[in-house]
Amino acid sequence: MARFSTSAAKLERYLLRKIRERGWEGEGEPPISSLVHRYVELGYIDDEVFARAKTGGLMRRGYGARRVHQALGEAGIDESLREKVRPGELAARQALLVLARRRRFGPFAAGPIDKALREKQIAAMLRAGHSLDSVREMVDAKSPAEAERWVAEAADEMEQ
C-alpha cells in the first residue's frame, strides 16, 4: 500500500465526512480514530513527512513562512511540528524572490513602479505570508541582481 499524501487529522476529517454522507448506521461514533491511528503506526500516514513536503511545495511557489504555518495548521499539524519544519531566513528570501519574479514585482517589473503599484505589490507579498521588512527589501531593490545579492547574503550568513 502506498503512503497517503495527507496528515492524520485531514484523513480523519475526510473519512468522518464520507461516512456521514453515506449514512452511518452503527452505534455511536464510527471508529475512525483507531483506523487513522493504525495507518500512522504502519507508516502510511506521517505528519512530519507531509509537513515537510507541504512546506517545500508552498515555498517553491513563493509563499512565505506565515502562510506555510497557516496552511499546516489547517491540515491539522500540531504547533511543535509546525515550528520544527518552519523555513529559515534563506528559504524565506528564496521564496520571496520566486514570487517577485513570477509576479513581476519590484525589480522584475516591466516598467517604472509608481506609489500605488508599489503598495499593491507590497500587499500581495504580505498576503503571501512574507514579512514586511523582507517585502520592502525586495520591492526597493534597484535591479534583479541586487535582489539576488540580498538573497545570497542570507546564504553567506548561514555559512558563517
Side-chain angles (χ1 to χ4, degrees), residues 1 15 17 21 28 32 47-48 53 64 68 82 86 97 108 115 120 129 131 135 138 146 148 157:
M1 188 173 214
L15 292 174
R17 188 184 80 222
E21 287 173 359
I32 298 298
D47 282 355
E48 185 170 349
V68 169
R82 283 187 272 169
R86 186 177 197 86
L97 183 65
F108 302 98
K115 185 177 179 179
K120 285 182 180 183
S131 71
V135 167
M138 184 59 66
E146 185 179 321
E148 291 165 358
E157 291 171 8

Side-chain angles (χ1 to χ4, degrees), residues 36-49:
V36 171
H37 183 68
R38 175 103 169 105
Y39 282 169
V40 170
E41 285 177 344
L42 292 171
Y44 298 142
I45 303 292
D46 188 332
D47 282 355
E48 185 170 349
V49 170

